[in-house]
Amino acid sequence: MIYKIRFLQRYDFEEWQQQLISYIPQLQIIASQLALGIFVGFVFKWLQIPVGWLLGSMIGGIVYSAIQGNPQPLPKFFITLGKAFIALATAARFSWDTINVAATYAVPLLLCVFISGILSLFHGYLLSRWSGIDKVTGLVAFIPGAASSIVPIAEEMGADAVAVAVFQYLRLLLVVLLIPSAAGFFFPVDLNDSISTAIATTAVTNSSSFPMWLNLIVLAGCCVVGVWGGNRLGLPASGFLGTFLIGLAVFWSCPYDLVVPQWLFATGLLCVGLSIGVKFDIKTANKLLKAVLIEIVLVISLILLCLGVGYEFHAFTHVDTITSLLGFTPGGLEAMVATVMQLGGDTGLVLAMQLTRMLIIIALGPWLVNLAMKAASSEQ
């Protein structure tokens, strides 16, 4: 009997050891990706590029995938954790005033969302017409703001899922790369002051009455419950939205001030940016080179038109310019929220605008694509 127990213990240990050894190559890949992302993110931060940790880590991820020759996705845990950290910082700035403002401008907000959605589908139609890909793939490729939700159901809608993934993440890369950089150029701020105030104070409230270790335990609980609840309820961008809702409830109900440390926010940007970058498929992009080049032009055109929609929203409602512009960009929710935090706009209102657009797109996007396809087939 003793011999059997010793044999089983030895067998279990050897099996565990073999499993651990099998994980070493994957851990080495993750470590090298994180090292490159942190290095480039630090360089961008040092150069005071807006949302430097996000943009730098994303570019580091793209470089890594290009060197390897194929996508090197991180475990889903990283982007989920990153979105949860950004959601906590966002929840700390959200207030009832934001809800009142969003309700006040409900009609122009919905109108601008509708216009930006129509512009997106029109650009998808142009992509299919000019590049030769099928219309469903073109239309689905330009559904904005819900890449993680649209890509999995693309095949069910009759689209080329691989091409849709390339187009969706390329659109996301362009938006995340261009918008914060342009916003920082046209709306310059002292990023040192901005980070210390917008993240460490206004985005993170006053000094906490909790010890930091207890404060971090509460925030960790918000992340765990938020991600779990978001997945269970099937929320769009569940890691972000679920954590945001739980964080909001905790921040508003807790009698003590809770702190979202600056390093936690930067870690969230790093995880999201790197996760996006390493998904880029250079081989598939080369195969679809003509369509990719056309999409780059069309995405830039769509960004400019959506910025025009945002400016008209500003002119009509007198909401500040940076909030209006970032509220209608075609994708990159976490990046836009992070950008508006650093540039001093209304984070809560940008979140409300982006979420309204995302929810409408997810609910109506597939239906609008089918409607457009039926209209096109009836004309033929």
Side-chain angles (χ1 to χ4, degrees):
M1 183 68 180
I2 296 175
Y3 172 78
K4 289 183 177 180
I5 293 175
R6 289 179 177 175
F7 175 78
L8 290 174
Q9 288 176 342
R10 180 182 177 186
Y11 175 77
D12 291 340
F13 175 76
E14 290 178 352
E15 183 181 17
W16 175 82
Q17 190 178 32
Q18 290 176 355
Q19 290 179 349
L20 182 62
I21 292 174
S22 67
Y23 290 140
I24 290 178
Q26 183 180 6
L27 293 175
Q28 289 175 335
I29 292 174
I30 293 173
S32 58
Q33 290 172 331
L34 289 174
L36 183 59
I38 292 172
F39 173 74
V40 183
F42 179 80
V43 171
F44 274 51
K45 172 68 169 56
W46 180 70
L47 294 174
Q48 294 197 359
I49 295 175
V51 206
W53 282 112
L54 180 73
L55 297 182
S57 60
M58 184 186 70
I59 291 176
I62 295 173
V63 170
Y64 186 90
S65 293
I67 293 173
Q68 296 297 321
N70 60 297
Q72 301 286 322
L74 283 167
K76 189 178 179 181
F77 165 80
F78 284 92
I79 192 168
T80 300
L81 193 67
K83 290 181 178 180
F85 289 168
I86 296 174
L88 287 176
T90 305
R93 290 196 69 183
F94 208 82
S95 66
W96 282 108
D97 292 337
T98 298
I99 299 175
N100 293 331
V101 170
T104 301
Y105 301 127
V107 174
L109 174 60
L110 292 176
L111 179 61
C112 289
V113 167
F114 176 77
I115 293 173
S116 61
I118 294 298
L119 289 172
S120 299
L121 290 178
F122 177 67
H123 280 72
Y125 168 76
L126 292 179
L127 175 64
S128 66
R129 186 177 180 87
W130 292 346
S131 68
I133 65 174
D134 64 277
K135 287 188 175 64
V136 177
T137 300
L139 293 173
V140 175
F142 265 89
I143 294 179
S148 59
S149 300
I150 294 300
V151 171
I153 66 173
E155 195 167 359
E156 299 177 11
M157 299 171 63
D160 182 339
V162 175
V164 168
V166 171
F167 294 141
Q168 280 282 349
Y169 286 111
L170 179 60
R171 173 187 57 80
L172 183 58
L173 287 173
L174 289 171
V175 170
V176 172
L177 181 62
L178 295 177
I179 294 297
S181 302
F185 178 79
F186 289 106
F187 302 92
V189 294
D190 186 339
L191 291 184
N192 291 325
D193 291 342
S194 177
I195 292 173
S196 61
T197 56
I199 298 177
T201 54
T202 54
V204 184
T205 71
N206 300 321
S207 60
S208 174
S209 301
F210 282 157
M212 180 54 68
W213 65 268
L214 183 57
N215 183 95
L216 292 176
I217 290 176
V218 173
L219 296 182
C222 292
C223 292
V224 172
V225 176
V227 172
W228 176 82
N231 289 330
R232 292 279 294 180
L233 295 175
L235 298 176
S238 57
F240 182 90
L241 190 54
T243 306
F244 168 77
L245 294 175
I246 294 297
L248 202 62
V250 171
F251 288 141
W252 285 2
S253 61
C254 183
Y256 302 102
D257 291 331
L258 294 171
V259 173
V260 180
Q262 178 184 333
W263 61 262
L264 195 68
F265 181 67
T267 302
L269 296 180
L270 173 71
C271 290
V272 170
L274 187 60
S275 296
I276 293 173
V278 295
K279 286 181 179 178
F280 189 69
D281 189 348
I282 189 67
K283 289 183 179 179
T284 306
N286 287 334
K287 292 178 183 178
L288 300 169
L289 183 58
K290 179 183 176 182
V292 165
L293 294 176
I294 292 173
E295 193 201 15
I296 290 174
V297 175
L298 290 175
V299 168
I300 294 174
S301 169
L302 180 61
I303 290 173
L304 294 175
L305 290 173
C306 287
L307 290 177
V309 172
Y311 186 79
E312 290 301 319
F313 180 83
H314 155 73
F316 183 80
T317 62
H318 302 294
V319 172
D320 66 279
T321 307
I322 190 65
T323 298
S324 299
L325 295 181
L326 294 179
F328 289 102
T329 51
L333 170 64
E334 294 83 13
M336 297 308 104
V337 168
T339 302
V340 76
M341 279 186 183
Q342 292 198 5
L343 298 182
D346 189 332
T347 305
L349 186 54
V350 167
L351 177 64
M353 295 162 73
Q354 288 278 355
L355 284 178
T356 299
R357 179 177 56 80
M358 179 188 294
L359 293 172
I360 291 176
I361 287 296
I362 290 175
L364 301 182
W367 178 79
L368 289 174
V369 169
N370 290 331
L371 183 65
M373 289 303 302
K374 289 180 180 178
S377 61
S378 63
E379 291 178 0
Q380 294 174 357

